Amino acid sequence: MPSPEAHPVSVYDVIGLGFGPANLAVAGALLEQPRETCPISVNKSLFIERYPEFKWHPGMLLPGTRMQISFLKDLATLRSPQSPITFLAYLHSKNRLVDFINRGCITPTRKEYSDYLAYAARYVQSQGIKVAYGESVIAIEEGGDGTVQVHSRVLTTGETRIRRAKNLIISPGGSPWVPRCIQTILPHPRIIHSSQYISSVEPMLTMMKATTRSLKIAVVGAGQSAVEVLLDLNSRLTSMDKSAGQTHNLHLIIRGGSLNPSEGGPFANQVYNPGMVDVMYGLPSDSRRRVMADYKATNYGVVNPHTLDSLYQVMYDQQVDGDIARRGGNALPVASTHITITPYSNLSSAEISTDRLQTSTETEDTDTLSVLLQNTLTQNLSETTYDAIICATGYERNSWLNLLKSSSLGKHFGLCASSDKTRLAVDRDFRAATNGKNGDFGAPTMNGKNGTFMAAANGINGHSRIPDTGINAEDNAPYTSMETKVSGTSPTMTDTLYISRRYRLLPLPTAGHGFIPKIYLQGCAEETHGLSDTLLSVTGVRAGEIVEDLCSN
């Protein structure tokens, strides 16, 4: 596909940062607008994506894994069922619609959903949407004449490209997060994050095949991704050719007492209804936090019950095999992998240690990963060594904040580069904080969509991290804290950014009349818009709301 620069645009009407499901849905919603009257031209719309082609969580497309939501919660159906980028339209184009119906299941496999998203990406590009693949956004600045300047780097050449846009949609997704003690020994070929699992696990295991002793691997995390990785590793290790009698060990390290099932019932899932966004945005901050806590078990640090059943059966079968083997006369092959769950454990420190191991046949020079675990009940410390560590510990979503902090744009929203913590607040608080100045930023409406509700949002931050929840549609929103650790003992500085019901950052009155661009956030506003903001459930509806606001005067 030709580069957007094949037909240069002096100023784009809108540039989207990232081209995952969120901005892909926006692209689809833009195509639905009447081109004669819409002020946003499709030909002047660009999305910048770091992957060289469209990809959606490629590291976790494990065989047989399913989505956690209905196929109807796709890029467009809840907003526009007749859209050409619905999941049904995809099935019809592939001549699989009847076969999919015959499955009798409303949740597609993750592999199929990924293929659907790639299909939708190809479609919107064929209709004129431009995508600059293989570029990483490195800075955003004021561009003059009411524009934003976007700086990106071409990953294959290092070339820097600068573009200007009248509007900006920031949809950063999540960046892999690992425990801080693990960060100190990165990079290491045998420490991987679950987001890179598929592409990294085979090279990692190949590297360890030369080791004749039994392997010990840790998986850190208590969510869907952690258990899926654990089951996949169990299958891979069991099938590895090893000396008779050797048993590999898999340890699942969790901070709680046990793995917990997700609450996926119809009543609990109502919190992800598009209409619930209005309710959450309008609540006082204390009430919003209470609702978030009540529904935490639908998304954070939980595992699909069917996946838990599979894990329990595997562990039970290992017990049965062990009992039979101990009696002797075993006619069944004994499983070559043993799974252990290590509860109430927190990673305290980690280091790389080099050992010279004497085996029955040879001497091996290899390094191991030494981990110090603290029992969260007794505070006792124990040291364990592992050959590899898989971190299914979630994602952080601060890249957009760092872009604004280091930008001249930040001051227009009250953001200071030296602030320790940032919180989002609703536009009602914006009007109260500015004593009614610049009141056009949230004019009251009967449906409340511009924020006619009361109360400030004090945020839900404070955790150093949130346990991993996997990358399934209903559980891909870990680490949403906007807290930044700084050295020194100076008082904590907290900045407040105001965001409208339709996801637009609101400039302060001190920005003057010169700041015209609209800047939107997707997947970053759980604090004000509720649990669904980082998930797929409201993607299509949210895209429509953003495009409607973008096209309004």
Side-chain angles (χ1 to χ4, degrees), residues 93-417:
S93 74
K94 303 298 183 183
N95 198 29
R96 290 204 309 267
L97 181 54
V98 173
D99 293 330
F100 183 86
I101 294 172
N102 289 341
R103 292 172 69 244
C105 179
I106 64 171
T107 55
T109 64
R110 201 178 294 158
K111 176 176 63 177
E112 184 176 31
Y113 202 81
S114 176
D115 188 61
Y116 152 65
L117 293 174
Y119 158 85
R122 291 191 298 270
Y123 174 81
V124 299
Q125 289 176 260
S126 72
Q127 300 301 303
I129 294 292
K130 296 181 176 66
V131 183
Y133 285 112
E135 295 186 27
S136 177
V137 175
I138 56 177
I140 54 176
E141 300 291 346
E142 290 187 74
D145 299 323
T147 65
V148 174
Q149 199 174 75
V150 180
H151 299 242
S152 63
R153 179 177 293 118
V154 180
L155 297 179
T156 55
T157 66
E159 172 193 356
T160 298
R161 292 179 177 173
I162 301 175
R163 304 175 178 94
R164 289 199 300 154
K166 298 175 183 177
N167 304 283
L168 198 64
I169 304 176
I170 304 175
S171 306
S175 302
W177 186 88
V178 300
R180 289 179 176 84
C181 65
I182 299 295
Q183 294 175 19
T184 62
I185 56 176
L186 289 176
H188 191 283
R190 286 181 277 112
I191 300 176
I192 60 179
H193 188 271
S194 57
S195 60
Q196 287 89 40
Y197 177 76
I198 287 293
S199 60
S200 303
V201 64
E202 274 303 320
M204 182 189 77
L205 293 179
T206 299
M207 186 186 310
M208 294 189 292
K209 279 183 178 178
T211 303
T212 57
R213 58 186 171 79
S214 298
L215 299 176
K216 183 188 289 186
I217 299 177
V219 177
V220 183
Q224 184 74 23
S225 294
V227 177
E228 289 178 353
V229 165
L230 188 71
L231 288 170
D232 186 76
L233 272 175
N234 177 75
S235 176
R236 291 174 186 268
L237 289 177
T238 300
S239 63
M240 283 178 63
D241 293 330
K242 283 293 177 181
S243 301
Q246 286 189 336
T247 299
H248 305 302
N249 288 283
L250 284 174
H251 288 187
L252 181 65
I253 300 172
I254 63 176
R255 290 187 294 177
S258 67
L259 295 170
N260 296 314
S262 57
E263 295 181 6
F267 295 106
N269 275 332
Q270 287 180 324
V271 76
Y272 300 109
N273 290 356
M276 192 65 179
V277 178
D278 287 329
V279 176
M280 294 295 288
Y281 190 86
L283 287 174
S285 58
D286 289 344
S287 299
R288 193 182 303 122
R289 288 196 299 273
R290 177 181 172 183
V291 173
M292 301 273 277
D294 286 346
Y295 287 91
K296 180 180 179 182
T298 64
N299 184 50
Y300 286 114
V302 290
V303 185
N304 182 281
H306 296 297
T307 310
L308 285 180
D309 289 344
S310 297
L311 174 61
Y312 194 88
Q313 185 63 52
V314 168
M315 296 179 69
Y316 183 77
D317 286 344
Q318 290 176 359
Q319 283 184 297
V320 172
D321 289 344
D323 289 344
I324 294 175
R326 280 189 290 273
R327 286 204 310 268
N330 178 27
L332 297 174
V334 177
S336 62
T337 306
H338 183 76
I339 295 175
T340 302
I341 297 178
T342 307
Y344 297 116
S345 297
N346 193 43
L347 272 67
S348 179
S349 67
E351 63 180 12
I352 302 171
S353 58
T354 302
D355 298 317
R356 191 169 179 83
L357 301 173
Q358 183 70 44
T359 69
S360 58
T361 58
E362 60 184 36
T363 299
E364 300 176 2
D365 284 313
T366 182
D367 63 9
T368 55
L369 307 170
S370 179
V371 173
L372 191 64
L373 297 176
Q374 183 173 43
N375 185 291
T376 58
L377 296 180
T378 66
Q379 308 306 311
N380 291 336
L381 296 172
S382 61
E383 186 174 6
T384 308
T385 58
Y386 294 102
D387 295 288
I389 299 175
I390 316 296
C391 295
T393 43
Y395 304 79
E396 60 183 357
R397 300 178 181 273
N398 289 347
S399 59
W400 68 274
L401 188 59
N402 295 331
L403 274 177
L404 278 179
K405 273 188 175 184
S406 59
S407 165
S408 57
L409 294 169
K411 64 180 184 239
H412 294 301
F413 302 98
L415 185 61
C416 176

Side-chain angles (χ1 to χ4, degrees), residues 255 296 300 393-394 463-468 477-481 526:
R255 290 187 294 177
K296 180 180 179 182
Y300 286 114
T393 43
H463 299 286
S464 62
R465 62 176 176 180
I466 296 175
D468 172 50
Y479 198 87
T480 54
S481 172
E526 184 183 84

Side-chain angles (χ1 to χ4, degrees), residues 485-541:
K485 298 294 184 182
V486 295
S487 59
T489 57
S490 58
T492 299
M493 296 175 58
T494 301
D495 288 336
T496 299
L497 297 182
Y498 298 94
I499 186 169
S500 76
R501 166 59 184 83
R502 296 195 175 186
Y503 307 94
R504 176 159 52 98
L505 287 178
L506 303 178
L508 298 177
T510 53
H513 299 290
F515 192 80
I516 302 172
K518 296 178 180 179
I519 299 180
Y520 298 87
L521 292 180
Q522 290 198 95
C524 311
E526 184 183 84
E527 189 173 354
T528 51
H529 289 68
L531 283 169
S532 61
D533 190 60
T534 55
L535 311 178
L536 293 176
S537 293
V538 299
T539 299
V541 174

